[in-house]
């Protein structure tokens, strides 16, 4: 059962999320918050698996709430939901440590899939933003992308298979796609992914992708 807390300034939005989550067998809503300060307090108290976080809330906004929760080292993963298809919100949310960024016009089944993915340690980004985020990140990469792989002591702790999995994560492959590529079961891939994230000190797949790019294990196409 995935425990979820909803942080949104709009009562109708919170009601809609509650109805969806209460009628889904593998999710439960453990709390709500209508402003940022309340969100920080309730997340700290309840330690939900996933937080559905609105960006625009009274007082402390959703980006700052995310930053505080991640900085505190809590177990909760943040899935930011917004009505604003604006790049700077997505960049800010991911920099703050959010595990995903989706628009509120998605279908219920897409939201549930996003919650499950984030709870499992994956990262989700709205399709409309994915290409723009990758392009923007590629533009920020420094010096020669065609150079050799950069040395990093974290890579020394990876087995050959785990290094292959990190590269696959950097290419944006899902666990199922990685399993197919290396002829492994998905449960084995999940174990490998968990070990990779732990060894490189990444909170989720987004941070793993960024590391893969920075070390030139993965290059933009």
């Amino acid at each position: 059962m995935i425990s979820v807390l909803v942080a949104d300034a709009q009562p109708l939005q919170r009601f809609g999320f509650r109805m969806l989550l209460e009628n889904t067998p593998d999710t439960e809503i453990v709390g709500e918050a209508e402003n940022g300060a309340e969100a920080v307090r309730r997340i700290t108290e309840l330690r939900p698996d996933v937080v559905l976080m609105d960006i625009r809330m009274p007082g402390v906004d959703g980006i700052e709430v995310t930053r505080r929760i991640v900085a505190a080292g809590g177990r909760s993963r943040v899935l930011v939901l917004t009505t604003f298809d604006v790049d700077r919100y997505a960049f800010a949310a991911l920099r703050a440590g959010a595990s995903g960024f989706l628009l509120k016009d998605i279908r219920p089944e897409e939201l549930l899939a996003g919650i499950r993915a984030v709870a499992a340690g994956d990262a989700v980004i709205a399709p409309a933003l994915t290409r723009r985020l990758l392009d923007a990140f590629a533009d920020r990469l420094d010096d020669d992308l065609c150079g050799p792989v950069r040395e990093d002591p974290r890579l020394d702790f990876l087995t050959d298979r785990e290094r292959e999995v990190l590269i696959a994560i950097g290419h944006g492959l899902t666990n199922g796609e990685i399993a197919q590529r290396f002829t492994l079961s998905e449960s084995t891939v999940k174990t490998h992914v968990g070990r990779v994230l732990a060894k490189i000190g990444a909170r989720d797949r987004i941070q793993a992708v960024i590391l893969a790019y920075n070390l030139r294990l993965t290059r933009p196409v």
Side-chain angles (χ1 to χ4, degrees):
M1 185 72 74
I2 302 169
S3 58
V4 182
L5 184 140
V6 176
D8 197 295
Q10 302 297 322
L12 190 58
Q13 288 279 2
R14 297 198 305 274
F15 176 77
F17 290 140
R18 175 177 285 277
M19 292 295 293
L20 175 63
L21 296 169
E22 287 181 342
N23 287 281
T24 301
D26 61 339
T27 62
E28 63 173 345
I29 185 164
V30 295
E32 298 180 11
E34 63 180 2
N35 59 62
E38 184 182 16
V40 172
R41 179 176 58 80
R42 302 221 68 193
I43 294 166
T44 302
E45 289 175 356
L46 300 172
R47 301 178 68 234
D49 296 317
V50 177
V51 179
L52 297 184
M53 183 78 70
D54 188 22
I55 285 182
R56 291 191 172 181
M57 290 189 292
V60 183
D61 66 23
I63 302 297
E64 179 59 27
V65 173
T66 300
R67 188 176 293 111
R68 293 183 188 181
I69 294 302
V70 172
R75 64 187 294 271
S76 302
R77 298 184 180 276
V78 178
L79 178 54
V80 172
L81 296 171
T82 181
T83 56
F84 305 101
D85 181 8
V86 179
D87 290 352
R88 65 184 175 87
Y89 290 139
F91 292 138
L94 299 178
R95 280 198 301 269
S99 295
F101 185 97
L102 295 174
L103 301 177
K104 287 183 178 179
D105 62 358
I106 59 173
R107 296 189 299 271
E109 60 268 25
E110 293 173 326
L111 174 58
L112 292 172
I115 290 172
R116 295 182 184 112
V118 167
D122 289 340
V124 292
I125 304 175
L129 295 168
T130 302
R131 183 68 260 169
R132 301 204 303 270
L133 284 169
L134 289 174
D135 289 344
F137 182 65
D139 289 342
R140 287 164 170 75
L141 291 173
D142 57 356
D143 48 60
D144 182 14
L145 288 173
C146 296
V149 172
R150 290 189 173 102
E151 296 297 323
D152 188 292
R154 288 171 290 184
L155 297 181
D156 296 337
F157 294 100
L158 301 180
T159 65
D160 290 343
R161 176 63 78 194
E162 289 167 352
R163 188 183 178 107
E164 290 174 335
V165 169
L166 174 58
I167 293 171
I169 292 172
H171 284 298
L173 272 61
T174 65
N175 285 358
E177 291 167 337
I178 295 173
Q180 186 174 22
R181 170 173 290 190
F182 298 123
T183 319
L184 301 170
S185 68
E186 285 201 44
S187 61
T188 298
V189 171
K190 185 175 181 180
T191 299
H192 282 313
V193 170
R195 288 174 178 167
V196 167
L197 296 182
K199 288 181 179 181
I200 65 175
R203 178 179 172 84
D204 53 40
R205 289 171 95 108
I206 290 177
Q207 292 186 349
V209 169
I210 292 172
L211 178 68
Y213 269 84
N214 280 335
L215 297 182
R216 296 182 178 138
L217 296 171
T218 304
R219 294 172 173 85
V221 296

